[in-house]
């Protein structure tokens, strides 16, 4: 008897290997054992539920963060199969939970569309959980099984009857594995908002039993709503985004585009709802088509006489989302977030070309606005190139082409070197005295650096402080960015621990995010964390980094004398070395882009022109004084 395409049996779950390796090298499977990895545990499960939604069987997903640190994910999909696996002789659900890579998704006939980049599936979550309980509603029954650290503690038992179908996974992340087991509501909120934009009609409910917060995520507008959401704090060029959806064989292509008056290019690619941070063939197909369509249109209308508009010209101020769904995605790249399927480039290119040309013909007003903007960008880019050459020539006059203000380190071993970007000339002086000459370089920066969010690229690049930073870092910016020319392994932003310092830190982060995001992605950018207070008890000094810590310390130590550091400049070089610069004793924070969409929104909001949005954002985030992107 031949099997029908939609018939599923436990035998379709392929068996690859056991879970021993997962607990030995957890980072290989979920990226890290820190905060990011911890949140991936939830994504793994939810991705499986989203797969059920993509296949058309699931409409509701509930995620609850419990007071005891566990997480419950409930979906109304088909439920993980429970029949006995033909070779393993245990229920399919047990195979899925105890064997790595076991899952119908590796067998195309089981899924219309297969998702889950993390892809390793529920078994990894099981291996890394102190305890996990699975409940499957299927075939009129409720099936239940308990695990601990990947091992079954009970048999799969029938514990009740039900008319419903679906899967409930409850897990307790293992504190032996994770450095933190505290989930961050905001990170989950951002991710789930994105997931519902990409899956119109899917409802996700997030509940935090600790704080009592509850939110429902649902989008009927899909990608159109998504680009509008990203551009919310920006001045847009046309009120309704360009949108289209096309099917080509097994592949579904969906695109939404809206230009804003800013200078940044924001293209977000998704494949089966996974954010492809490193781009890939879908994004390059889109870019090629966009450049060609706009050039063709401008030429046809006599707006472009000679030469042609470059890709950078047509992408200035562009916000675009390219979401594609396909049965067999191949992921490549360092973080496996780059789509590799070569056939996709042509498919997306031709779909986007046709759709854009049609749109321009039907909407001449919008087309004119876009072309005018793009021609202006081209003119400005020419001017910027001239400014950049000027910067290069100016710098050539100082020693070795490096900025005169830079105090370089002596080591030539890049892996061990650090560049401190220091707020203010006096703190810069102390840092120079305090540093380890061999490995630490100092670049002092005069007061507030330019807000690159508001200035055009010509002005940004000709600002002295920014030009100095670019030359000291070495990589170049934009089209010329070259990671191989990076001159230091760590770039450490050091600013005062007060509101002004916080602002300066944000300005510098905005600069890195907008001009050299690759450096943040690759984990080269850090923020120093200077102490707020010094406590002296007898002859001993203690440094304290927050008001909370101060209260704890004074409660514990009794009578002490407390000095508040007003700025970095107030510390003597020895204190600065001990608290902020000595790699063995300092506090330092790596800057992450958890989510590029959210980071872009936060920077536009903090640095842009939309004052009400900024106020609302700051009020909402008042408790978290620090910018955490
Ligand atoms: C394998 C095969 C099928 C569904 C699932 C796994 C599945 C996994 C998870 C994890 C969380 N929720 C889930 N829902 C479903 C297909 C089953 C069929 O064809 O009936």
């Amino acid at each position: 008897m031949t099997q029908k395409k939609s018939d599923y049996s436990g035998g379709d779950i392929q068996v690859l290997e056991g879970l021993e390796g997962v607990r030995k090298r957890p980072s290989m499977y979920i990226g890290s054992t820190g905060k990011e990895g911890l949140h991936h545990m939830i994504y793994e499960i939810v991705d499986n539920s989203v797969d059920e939604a993509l296949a058309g069987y699931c409409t509701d997903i509930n995620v609850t963060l419990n007071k005891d640190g566990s997480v419950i994910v409930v979906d109304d999909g088909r439920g993980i199969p429970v029949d006995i696996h033909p070779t393993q002789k245990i229920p399919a659900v047990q195979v899925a939970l105890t064997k790595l890579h076991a899952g119908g998704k590796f067998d195309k006939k089981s899924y219309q569309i297969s998702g889950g980049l993390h892809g390793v599936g529920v078994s990894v979550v099981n291996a890394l959980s102190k305890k996990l309980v699975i409940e499957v509603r299927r075939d009129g029954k409720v099936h239940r099984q308990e695990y601990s650290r990947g091992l079954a503690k009970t048999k799969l038992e029938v514990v009740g009857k039900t008319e419903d179908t679906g899967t409930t996974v409850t897990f307790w992340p293992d504190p032996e594995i994770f450095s933190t087991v505290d989930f961050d509501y905001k990170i989950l909120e951002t991710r789930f908002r994105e997931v519902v934009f990409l899956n119109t009609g899917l409802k996700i409910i997030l509940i935090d039993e600790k704080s009592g917060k509850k939110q429902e995520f649902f989008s009927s507008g899909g990608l159109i709503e998504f680009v509008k959401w990203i551009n919310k704090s920006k001045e847009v060029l046309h009120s309704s985004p360009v949108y289209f959806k096309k099917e080509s064989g097994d592949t579904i292509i969906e695109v939404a585009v809206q230009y804003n008056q800013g200078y940044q290019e924001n293209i977000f690619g998704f494949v089966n709802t996974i954010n492809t941070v490193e781009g890939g063939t879908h994004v390059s197909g889109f870019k090629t088509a966009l450049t060609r369509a706009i050039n063709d249109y401008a030429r046809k209308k006599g707006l472009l006489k000679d030469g042609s508009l470059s890709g950078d010209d047509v992408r200035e101020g562009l916000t675009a989302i390219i979401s594609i769904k396909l049965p067999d995605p191949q992921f490549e790249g360092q973080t496996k977030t780059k789509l590799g399927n070569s056939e996709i480039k042509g498919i997306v290119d031709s779909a986007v070309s046709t759709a854009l040309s049609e749109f321009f013909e039907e909407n001449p007003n919008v087309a004119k606005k876009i072309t005018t903007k793009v021609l202006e960008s081209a003119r400005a880019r020419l001017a910027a190139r001239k400014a950049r050459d000027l910067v290069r020539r100016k710098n050539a006059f100082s020693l070795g082409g490096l900025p005169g203000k830079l105090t370089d380190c002596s080591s030539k071993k890049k892996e061990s070197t650090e560049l401190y970007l220091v707020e203010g000339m006096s703190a810069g002086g102390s840092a120079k005295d305090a540093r380890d000459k061999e490995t630490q370089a100092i670049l002092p920066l005069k007061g507030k650096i330019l807000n690159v969010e508001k200035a055009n690229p010509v002005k940004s690049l000709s600002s002295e402080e920014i030009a100095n930073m670019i030359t000291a870092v070495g990589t170049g910016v934009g089209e010329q960015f070259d990671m191989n020319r990076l001159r230091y392994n760590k770039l450490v932003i050091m600013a005062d621990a007060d509101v002004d310092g916080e602002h300066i830190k944000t300005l510098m982060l905005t600069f890195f995010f907008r001009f050299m995001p690759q450096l943040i992605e690759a984990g080269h950018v850090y923020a120093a964390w200077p102490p707020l207070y010094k406590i002296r008890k007898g002859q001993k000094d203690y440094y304290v980094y927050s008001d909370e810590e101060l209260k704890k310390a004074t409660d514990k130590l009794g009578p002490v004398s407390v000095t508040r550091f007003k700025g970095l400049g107030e510390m003597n070089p020895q204190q600065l070395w001990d608290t902020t610069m000595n790699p063995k004793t300092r506090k330092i924070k790596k800057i992450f882009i958890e989510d590029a969409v959210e980071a872009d929104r936060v920077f536009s909001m903090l640095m842009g022109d939309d004052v009400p949005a900024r106020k609302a954002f700051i009020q909402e985030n008042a408790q978290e004084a620090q910018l955490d992107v």
Side-chain angles (χ1 to χ4, degrees):
M1 200 179 92
T2 51
Q3 210 176 23
K4 269 197 312 210
K5 224 184 168 185
S6 57
D7 275 355
Y8 187 93
S9 74
D12 286 346
I13 291 184
Q14 295 171 350
V15 178
L16 296 174
E17 58 173 294
L19 292 179
E20 305 77 32
V22 180
R23 287 187 62 85
K24 276 202 195 112
R25 294 163 173 236
S27 303
M28 265 187 56
Y29 299 92
I30 46 159
S32 80
T33 52
K35 206 160 127 184
E36 284 190 299
L38 179 75
H39 289 78
H40 268 150
M41 296 276 277
I42 299 187
Y43 304 159
E44 270 312 329
I45 307 289
V46 171
D47 280 357
N48 277 282
S49 306
V50 172
D51 274 349
E52 282 292 282
L54 284 173
Y57 297 100
C58 164
T59 60
D60 285 70
I61 303 172
N62 266 268
V63 179
T64 308
L65 306 176
N66 290 321
K67 284 192 179 141
D68 69 353
S70 63
V71 182
I72 311 181
V73 180
V74 186
D75 72 42
D76 61 352
R78 288 168 291 184
I80 306 181
V82 290
D83 49 339
I84 300 295
H85 192 278
T87 57
Q88 299 284 308
K89 314 285 184 215
I90 50 173
V93 55
Q94 190 170 348
V95 176
L97 279 162
T98 55
K99 303 287 180 222
L100 199 56
H101 281 195
K105 56 173 79 159
F106 291 92
D107 181 357
K108 262 195 272 175
K109 78 168 181 262
S110 308
Y111 271 113
Q112 229 186 345
I113 290 162
S114 100
L117 151 75
H118 323 301
V120 284
V122 279
S123 62
V124 166
V125 178
N126 193 20
L128 303 178
S129 294
K130 186 173 67 179
K131 178 177 172 187
L132 181 145
V133 178
I134 184 122
E135 198 187 278
V136 174
R137 295 170 294 284
R138 205 179 154 103
D139 309 327
K141 297 181 194 120
V142 183
H143 311 260
R144 185 183 186 280
Q145 190 171 26
E146 251 184 66
Y147 291 85
S148 175
R149 304 195 159 105
L151 302 172
K153 290 283 137 183
T154 65
K155 288 202 156 163
L156 185 71
E157 294 162 334
V158 173
V159 293
K161 281 190 201 165
T162 181
E163 302 275 282
D164 302 330
T165 64
T167 306
T168 300
V169 180
T170 310
F171 67 95
W172 288 253
D174 193 345
E176 284 177 10
I177 300 281
F178 294 97
S179 57
T180 168
V181 288
D182 271 340
F183 287 101
D184 184 333
Y185 187 92
K186 260 177 71 185
I187 294 178
L188 297 171
E189 174 187 343
T190 304
R191 171 70 189 151
F192 295 155
R193 179 171 298 115
E194 212 164 278
V195 170
V196 300
F197 278 140
L198 295 161
N199 294 283
T200 317
L202 174 65
K203 185 158 94 191
I204 301 182
I205 294 175
L206 173 62
I207 299 166
D208 184 354
E209 290 288 0
K210 274 182 256 176
S211 65
K213 258 194 256 180
K214 177 177 172 176
Q215 233 169 312
E216 189 175 307
F217 303 93
F218 178 83
S219 166
S220 52
L223 291 201
I224 296 178
E225 249 177 275
F226 198 178
V227 267
K228 283 189 176 173
W229 162 262
I230 295 171
N231 274 341
K232 207 163 110 189
S233 295
K234 298 169 185 153
E235 214 181 303
V236 295
L237 204 64
H238 48 107
S239 55
S240 6
V242 183
Y243 168 83
F244 55 88
K245 181 174 180 175
K246 287 209 166 171
E247 288 187 29
S248 167
D250 284 346
T251 310
I252 303 169
I253 303 155
E254 215 183 335
V255 173
V257 171
Q258 189 181 40
Y259 279 89
N260 61 63
Q261 308 278 18
Y263 303 100
Q264 313 306 332
E265 159 187 339
N266 271 315
I267 302 182
F268 301 105
F270 294 88
V271 173
N272 295 351
T273 79
I274 290 143
N275 191 337
T276 42
V277 181
E278 297 172 280
T281 48
H282 57 322
V283 173
S284 51
F286 168 79
K287 286 183 179 174
T288 312
L290 180 78
T291 309
R292 195 177 46 242
I294 295 184
N295 269 293
D296 287 354
Y297 184 82
R299 234 174 251 129
K300 202 164 108 193
K301 297 287 163 192
L303 299 163
L304 184 65
K305 300 272 161 20
D306 43 31
S308 52
L309 298 157
S310 75
D312 286 315
D313 296 333
V314 303
R315 295 194 297 269
E316 195 172 288
L318 169 82
T319 299
I321 297 168
I322 300 109
S323 168
I324 70 165
K325 289 171 183 160
L326 77 165
D328 186 23
Q330 306 293 320
F331 292 106
E332 302 171 346
Q334 268 194 329
T335 52
K336 292 268 175 283
T337 55
K338 181 175 180 184
L339 183 70
N341 302 50
S342 54
E343 73 282 4
I344 295 299
K345 184 172 184 326
I347 296 178
V348 174
D349 182 342
S350 94
V352 174
S353 283
T354 318
L356 275 180
S357 306
E358 270 170 30
F359 177 88
F360 289 156
E361 289 306 328
E362 284 160 22
N363 301 273
N365 287 339
V366 180
K368 178 130 189 265
K369 278 188 194 157
I370 294 177
T371 333
T372 310
K373 165 164 179 109
V374 165
L375 287 163
E376 265 166 34
S377 309
R379 271 194 293 278
R381 195 166 311 280
L382 253 181
R385 195 160 296 140
K386 282 188 193 146
R388 213 163 27 219
D389 288 346
L390 203 69
V391 170
R392 219 178 280 139
R393 251 177 284 136
K394 242 198 267 172
N395 279 325
F397 286 112
S398 54
L399 218 76
L402 290 170
K405 285 200 199 103
L406 175 75
T407 306
D408 213 351
C409 55
S410 58
S411 172
K412 293 279 166 277
K413 279 191 236 122
K414 195 163 83 184
E415 316 79 66
S416 60
T417 60
E418 305 177 341
L419 172 65
Y420 269 77
L421 300 153
V422 186
E423 167 198 0
M425 298 314 252
S426 80
S430 303
K432 228 193 290 188
D433 293 336
R435 74 187 179 126
D436 168 1
K437 289 190 172 54
E438 202 181 312
T439 58
Q440 295 177 323
I442 310 293
L443 181 67
L445 298 161
K446 255 191 306 200
K448 296 220 159 137
I449 69 161
L450 188 85
N451 180 356
V452 300
E453 195 71 23
K454 280 196 195 162
N456 74 35
V458 186
K459 197 164 164 222
S460 298
L461 292 170
S462 37
S463 131
E464 188 189 334
E465 303 299 316
I466 288 189
N468 281 346
M469 280 204 274
I470 295 174
T471 341
V473 169
T475 54
V477 295
E479 319 136 71
Q480 286 142 357
F481 182 90
D482 178 4
M483 191 64 100
N484 294 320
R485 281 168 34 220
L486 177 63
R487 300 185 61 250
Y488 308 92
N489 184 39
K490 288 196 173 105
L491 308 169
V492 187
I493 299 170
M494 185 157 88
D496 287 342
D498 59 10
V499 178
D500 259 3
E502 211 45 59
H503 188 212
I504 286 162
K505 204 168 89 189
T506 312
L507 285 166
M508 287 198 219
L509 283 178
T510 311
F511 160 73
F512 280 113
F513 181 68
R514 293 305 187 193
F515 282 87
M516 306 165 163
Q518 301 93 327
L519 292 178
I520 302 185
E521 263 156 38
H524 291 292
V525 182
Y526 294 78
W529 195 339
L532 283 181
Y533 304 98
K534 183 177 80 179
I535 321 183
R536 169 159 278 211
K537 172 146 177 126
Q539 290 305 307
K540 242 185 132 184
D541 287 340
Y542 301 87
Y543 297 101
V544 169
Y545 294 81
S546 68
D547 286 314
E548 213 177 44
E549 232 181 87
L550 177 67
K551 196 178 169 317
K552 268 196 209 144
T554 47
D555 285 351
K556 199 171 137 208
L557 295 170
V560 288
S561 74
V562 178
T563 330
R564 188 183 169 110
F565 290 116
K566 291 220 185 64
L568 293 164
E570 275 192 2
M571 279 186 240
N572 64 40
Q574 186 62 46
Q575 289 172 331
L576 193 61
W577 170 251
D578 289 340
T579 60
T580 319
M581 295 182 75
N582 179 355
K584 296 210 175 75
T585 52
R586 71 184 172 195
K587 282 200 178 214
I588 190 169
K589 192 172 162 190
K590 194 187 240 180
I591 304 299
F592 282 108
I593 299 183
E594 283 284 356
D595 184 282
V597 175
E598 185 62 10
D600 169 66
R601 274 174 37 79
V602 170
F603 280 119
S604 298
M605 207 125 65
L606 288 174
M607 297 306 187
D609 286 317
D610 187 346
V611 178
R614 175 160 57 236
K615 282 205 180 131
F617 179 83
I618 291 171
Q619 253 158 25
E620 229 176 82
N621 296 279
Q623 277 97 335
E624 290 143 83
Q626 267 176 348
L627 178 74
D628 221 346
V629 284

